[in-house]
Amino acid sequence: MHARSEVMTTAWTLYRRDTRLRRPSTAAARRQWFARALSTAWTWARQQATDATKTEDQSLTERIANLRLELLRIDARPFGMSIARDRAMLMEEIHHLSEKSLVSVAQMAA
């Protein structure tokens, strides 16, 4: 898990980025804005900790699932927009990751 100081640094960075052009006028609004930035920083830290504990096979499976969702988004594009190139690239990556996943499962079984 990340140190509190790292999370706080991330939160201040997010707060400064978000308030660079528009600063809340009241102290309560600034506290609420910073609370939202701090919440986001903690969420990122927890996600990074979770991702660090995943095995390679779990990461591959998650990546394939995300690519399939992206494929559905591409298929839902309006008529007149070209999807062939994007769809082919995603299908190729899904196929490549699926083969890699099968190889790692075969190596674990041996």
Side-chain angles (χ1 to χ4, degrees):
M1 193 75 168
H2 289 285
R4 289 181 182 175
S5 62
E6 292 175 18
V7 173
M8 192 61 86
T9 302
T10 304
W12 277 110
T13 303
L14 290 171
Y15 177 77
R16 275 189 235 102
R17 184 197 68 190
D18 291 345
T19 59
R20 183 172 297 137
L21 298 175
R22 55 189 192 283
R23 185 166 168 84
S25 58
T26 64
R30 286 190 293 273
R31 281 192 300 271
Q32 185 178 16
W33 207 297
F34 181 73
R36 193 174 18 235
L38 187 59
S39 174
T40 301
W42 274 113
T43 301
W44 287 357
R46 282 192 296 272
Q47 185 62 43
Q48 287 175 347
T50 301
D51 290 346
T53 61
K54 288 182 182 175
T55 64
E56 182 183 348
D57 217 27
Q58 288 171 329
S59 297
L60 285 174
T61 303
E62 185 176 317
R63 176 71 178 146
I64 290 171
N66 288 337
L67 288 172
R68 288 189 177 143
L69 282 174
E70 186 63 29
L71 194 59
L72 290 173
R73 285 188 200 102
I74 287 174
D75 288 341
R77 285 183 184 169
F79 291 113
M81 289 185 72
S82 175
I83 65 170
R85 186 174 47 108
D86 295 337
R87 194 171 204 300
M89 286 176 22
L90 283 177
M91 290 301 291
E92 182 180 330
E93 188 173 353
I94 289 172
H95 182 68
H96 175 70
L97 291 174
S98 296
E99 285 179 350
K100 191 175 182 181
S101 179
L102 290 174
V103 168
S104 66
V105 168
Q107 288 174 348
M108 291 173 67

